[in-house]
Amino acid sequence: QTRNSADDASSSGLQDCDNLEQRYQVLLILTDGETTDVERSLQAIIRSSRLPMSILIAGIGVGNFSNMQLLDSDAGLPKLRGKASVRDNVQFATLHEFHGFSDVLLSHLLAGIPDQVVSYMRLVNRAPLPQAEASDGVAPSSETRTLQVASATRSMSASMDH
Protein backbone atom coordinates (compact mmCIF):
# COMPACT_ATOMS: atom_id res chain seq x y z
CA GLN A 1 0.00 0.00 0.00
CA THR A 2 2.79 2.47 0.85
CA ARG A 3 4.41 2.29 -2.56
CA ASN A 4 1.13 2.85 -4.41
CA SER A 5 0.22 5.88 -2.31
CA ALA A 6 3.65 7.48 -2.70
CA ASP A 7 3.77 6.64 -6.42
CA ASP A 8 0.30 8.11 -6.93
CA ALA A 9 1.22 11.27 -5.04
CA SER A 10 4.45 11.76 -6.97
CA SER A 11 2.69 11.40 -10.33
CA SER A 12 -0.61 13.15 -9.60
CA GLY A 13 0.23 16.78 -10.04
CA LEU A 14 2.76 17.22 -7.29
CA GLN A 15 5.65 18.96 -8.98
CA ASP A 16 8.93 20.39 -7.97
CA CYS A 17 8.46 23.97 -6.86
CA ASP A 18 9.22 25.38 -10.34
CA ASN A 19 6.06 27.44 -10.50
CA LEU A 20 5.47 30.59 -8.50
CA GLU A 21 2.79 28.95 -6.41
CA GLN A 22 4.02 27.29 -3.23
CA ARG A 23 2.21 24.15 -2.15
CA TYR A 24 3.20 21.39 0.20
CA GLN A 25 1.37 18.09 0.51
CA VAL A 26 1.14 15.68 3.44
CA LEU A 27 0.36 12.04 2.74
CA LEU A 28 -0.95 10.16 5.78
CA ILE A 29 -0.78 6.38 5.48
CA LEU A 30 -2.55 4.21 8.05
CA THR A 31 -1.31 0.64 7.89
CA ASP A 32 -1.94 -2.51 9.87
CA GLY A 33 1.25 -4.22 8.70
CA GLU A 34 4.49 -3.86 6.83
CA THR A 35 4.99 -3.22 3.14
CA THR A 36 5.40 -6.33 1.03
CA ASP A 37 7.57 -4.62 -1.60
CA VAL A 38 10.29 -2.76 0.31
CA GLU A 39 12.36 -2.03 -2.81
CA ARG A 40 9.52 -0.36 -4.68
CA SER A 41 8.50 1.55 -1.55
CA LEU A 42 12.07 2.81 -1.13
CA GLN A 43 12.16 3.90 -4.79
CA ALA A 44 8.94 5.89 -4.30
CA ILE A 45 10.25 7.49 -1.10
CA ILE A 46 13.57 8.42 -2.71
CA ARG A 47 11.67 10.06 -5.60
CA SER A 48 9.30 11.83 -3.21
CA SER A 49 12.19 13.40 -1.29
CA ARG A 50 12.57 15.87 -4.20
CA LEU A 51 8.88 16.80 -4.06
CA PRO A 52 7.04 19.26 -1.81
CA MET A 53 5.60 16.53 0.37
CA SER A 54 5.87 14.73 3.68
CA ILE A 55 4.83 11.12 4.20
CA LEU A 56 3.46 10.20 7.61
CA ILE A 57 3.04 6.48 8.24
CA ALA A 58 1.00 5.40 11.26
CA GLY A 59 1.17 1.73 12.19
CA ILE A 60 -2.10 0.68 13.78
CA GLY A 61 -3.06 -2.70 15.16
CA VAL A 62 -0.75 -5.51 16.16
CA GLY A 63 0.82 -6.21 12.76
CA ASN A 64 4.49 -6.70 12.02
CA PHE A 65 6.09 -3.32 11.19
CA SER A 66 9.76 -4.34 10.97
CA ASN A 67 10.14 -3.41 7.28
CA MET A 68 8.49 -0.04 7.86
CA GLN A 69 11.49 1.15 9.91
CA LEU A 70 13.56 0.97 6.69
CA LEU A 71 11.31 3.62 5.14
CA ASP A 72 11.83 6.13 7.95
CA SER A 73 14.93 8.31 7.87
CA ASP A 74 15.71 8.20 11.57
CA ALA A 75 18.74 5.95 11.00
CA GLY A 76 19.89 7.83 7.90
CA LEU A 77 18.42 8.75 4.56
CA PRO A 78 16.99 5.80 2.62
CA LYS A 79 19.28 4.44 -0.11
CA LEU A 80 18.75 1.95 -2.89
CA ARG A 81 21.13 0.94 -5.68
CA GLY A 82 23.29 4.05 -5.43
CA LYS A 83 20.37 6.49 -5.15
CA ALA A 84 19.46 8.16 -1.90
CA SER A 85 16.80 10.48 -0.56
CA VAL A 86 17.92 14.09 -0.66
CA ARG A 87 16.10 14.95 2.58
CA ASP A 88 14.10 13.39 5.37
CA ASN A 89 10.43 13.58 4.42
CA VAL A 90 9.11 10.37 6.02
CA GLN A 91 7.97 9.83 9.58
CA PHE A 92 6.88 6.42 10.88
CA ALA A 93 5.49 5.52 14.28
CA THR A 94 3.15 2.89 15.68
CA LEU A 95 0.14 3.35 17.89
CA HIS A 96 1.64 0.69 20.17
CA GLU A 97 4.66 2.96 20.85
CA PHE A 98 2.26 5.52 22.33
CA HIS A 99 0.30 2.98 24.40
CA GLY A 100 -2.81 3.37 22.27
CA PHE A 101 -3.02 7.16 22.54
CA SER A 102 -3.81 8.08 18.94
CA ASP A 103 -3.70 11.83 19.64
CA VAL A 104 -0.13 11.52 20.92
CA LEU A 105 0.83 9.41 17.90
CA LEU A 106 -0.58 12.01 15.51
CA SER A 107 1.11 14.85 17.39
CA HIS A 108 4.41 12.98 17.12
CA LEU A 109 3.96 12.44 13.37
CA LEU A 110 2.88 16.05 12.74
CA ALA A 111 5.76 17.49 14.79
CA GLY A 112 8.29 16.78 12.03
CA ILE A 113 6.42 18.58 9.26
CA PRO A 114 7.77 22.12 9.87
CA ASP A 115 11.38 20.91 9.58
CA GLN A 116 10.47 18.90 6.48
CA VAL A 117 8.90 21.96 4.84
CA VAL A 118 11.99 24.03 5.62
CA SER A 119 14.28 21.31 4.25
CA TYR A 120 12.30 21.25 1.00
CA MET A 121 12.39 25.04 0.66
CA ARG A 122 16.16 24.97 1.19
CA LEU A 123 16.49 22.17 -1.38
CA VAL A 124 14.78 24.28 -4.05
CA ASN A 125 16.43 27.49 -2.80
CA ARG A 126 13.16 29.25 -2.04
CA ALA A 127 11.98 31.38 0.81
CA PRO A 128 8.41 30.92 2.03
CA LEU A 129 5.87 33.43 0.79
CA PRO A 130 4.86 36.12 3.28
CA GLN A 131 2.24 34.98 5.75
CA ALA A 132 -1.24 35.29 4.27
CA GLU A 133 -3.74 37.49 6.02
CA ALA A 134 -7.04 36.18 7.25
CA SER A 135 -10.28 37.52 5.77
CA ASP A 136 -10.40 40.18 8.50
CA GLY A 137 -7.02 41.56 7.37
CA VAL A 138 -5.11 40.19 10.35
CA ALA A 139 -2.56 37.40 10.03
CA PRO A 140 -3.36 34.40 12.24
CA SER A 141 -1.21 34.23 15.37
CA SER A 142 1.00 31.27 16.17
CA GLU A 143 -1.47 30.46 18.95
CA THR A 144 -4.31 30.30 16.40
CA ARG A 145 -2.27 28.05 14.12
CA THR A 146 -1.41 25.81 17.09
CA LEU A 147 -5.11 25.54 17.95
CA GLN A 148 -5.94 24.69 14.34
CA VAL A 149 -3.33 21.90 14.32
CA ALA A 150 -4.56 20.63 17.69
CA SER A 151 -8.15 20.64 16.42
CA ALA A 152 -7.14 18.75 13.27
CA THR A 153 -5.18 16.26 15.39
CA ARG A 154 -8.20 15.63 17.64
CA SER A 155 -10.43 15.20 14.59
CA MET A 156 -8.01 12.74 12.98
CA SER A 157 -7.64 10.94 16.30
CA ALA A 158 -11.40 10.57 16.69
CA SER A 159 -11.69 9.08 13.21
CA MET A 160 -8.89 6.59 14.01
CA ASP A 161 -10.61 5.52 17.21
CA HIS A 162 -13.78 4.49 15.33
Side-chain angles (χ1 to χ4, degrees):
Q1 288 289 345
T2 303
R3 67 179 161 79
N4 291 337
S5 301
D7 280 341
D8 291 347
S10 64
S11 64
S12 69
L14 278 180
Q15 303 168 357
D16 289 326
C17 201
D18 290 336
N19 58 9
L20 295 177
E21 195 172 342
Q22 292 185 4
R23 293 184 184 194
Y24 196 88
Q25 305 290 320
V26 177
L27 173 63
L28 173 62
I29 299 170
L30 303 175
T31 182
D32 61 357
E34 62 188 5
T35 180
T36 56
D37 192 342
V38 175
E39 186 171 314
R40 190 148 179 204
S41 297
L42 282 171
Q43 288 172 344
I45 286 171
I46 290 168
R47 278 194 312 275
S48 77
S49 72
R50 297 184 180 279
L51 299 172
M53 74 179 299
S54 291
I55 302 172
L56 308 179
I57 307 170
I60 55 176
V62 293
N64 180 4
F65 300 110
S66 57
N67 283 344
M68 302 305 283
Q69 297 295 339
L70 300 171
L71 306 180
D72 196 346
S73 301
D74 288 346
L77 295 176
K79 298 176 186 172
L80 182 68
R81 287 193 232 117
K83 293 185 179 181
S85 288
V86 295
R87 66 187 183 93
D88 177 10
N89 69 323
V90 177
Q91 185 70 26
F92 170 73
T94 66
L95 187 57
H96 179 74
E97 290 174 69
F98 296 95
H99 308 289
F101 292 105
S102 57
D103 55 336
V104 179
L105 167 65
L106 290 170
S107 293
H108 172 77
L109 291 172
L110 292 170
I113 293 176
D115 289 337
Q116 293 174 358
V117 171
V118 169
S119 73
Y120 175 76
M121 298 304 275
R122 286 185 178 145
L123 177 70
V124 297
N125 200 26
R126 291 262 171 110
L129 293 173
Q131 187 174 24
E133 292 184 354
S135 60
D136 61 3
V138 178
S141 69
S142 61
E143 181 178 316
T144 300
R145 286 189 302 277
T146 301
L147 291 173
Q148 290 168 339
V149 169
S151 175
T153 300
R154 280 192 300 276
S155 175
M156 290 168 59
S157 175
S159 65
M160 285 179 63
D161 291 338
H162 291 97

